[in-house]
Amino acid sequence: MARLVVRKGELIVRLSWWEKLAARHGDIHVPLGAVEQVAADPSWWRVLRGTQGRGTWIPDVLCIGVRDVSGTKDFVALRPRSGPVICVDLHAAAAPFARVAVTDPVPDATAATIRTAAARFLRGSQGAD
């Protein structure tokens, strides 16, 4: 199952080997400075925007890959039957995607970890100026 990991100033979507095949994409790396908002959502379908792009789309089983959204792109790794979702909205100019959404077994804890890391990163980068 895909995991959101914070490491060395980046938010990483770590994909298993089969998820990389299904998504036709490798792990996603996003600078923490691009994180705009993080939310846990119990309903996987609410985070889906736009139209299906490159990836694998099996209704009610698996949604993984890139979605086309009005001139931007989202990356999703959702397993609808596996629980809630973490949705991370990003600054489009600073990241390869406008949104990243991943199914997560402990969404509130993961969201809090990402928020804390992004806030620390922002405070650290402002102190460097």
Side-chain angles (χ1 to χ4, degrees):
M1 180 183 279
R3 293 279 184 243
L4 289 168
V5 178
V6 175
R7 184 157 291 131
K8 297 181 182 176
E10 286 186 317
L11 175 62
I12 304 167
V13 180
R14 264 229 179 107
L15 302 171
S16 66
W17 66 269
W18 70 266
E19 289 171 322
K20 289 177 183 177
L21 286 174
R24 293 190 228 155
H25 207 291
D27 291 343
I28 306 299
H29 294 259
V30 175
L32 278 176
V35 173
E36 203 170 87
Q37 183 177 354
V38 182
D41 197 316
S43 300
W44 63 272
W45 54 268
R46 282 194 275 215
V47 302
L48 289 179
R49 307 185 299 180
T51 58
Q52 300 172 356
R54 192 163 130 179
T56 301
W57 315 100
I58 304 170
D60 202 32
V61 177
L62 179 70
C63 299
I64 187 165
V66 177
R67 296 186 65 88
D68 298 316
V69 184
S70 306
T72 65
K73 296 190 181 297
D74 289 355
F75 184 84
V76 298
L78 305 176
R79 298 181 70 190
R81 297 179 187 170
S82 296
V85 174
I86 298 289
C87 182
V88 183
D89 288 324
L90 305 164
H91 296 288
F97 299 101
R99 173 179 285 177
V100 171
V102 177
T103 301
D104 193 286
V106 286
D108 294 325
T110 303
T113 299
I114 295 168
R115 279 189 212 103
T116 301
R120 284 183 183 158
F121 182 82
L122 184 60
R123 279 195 305 270
S125 66
Q126 287 176 344
D129 290 340

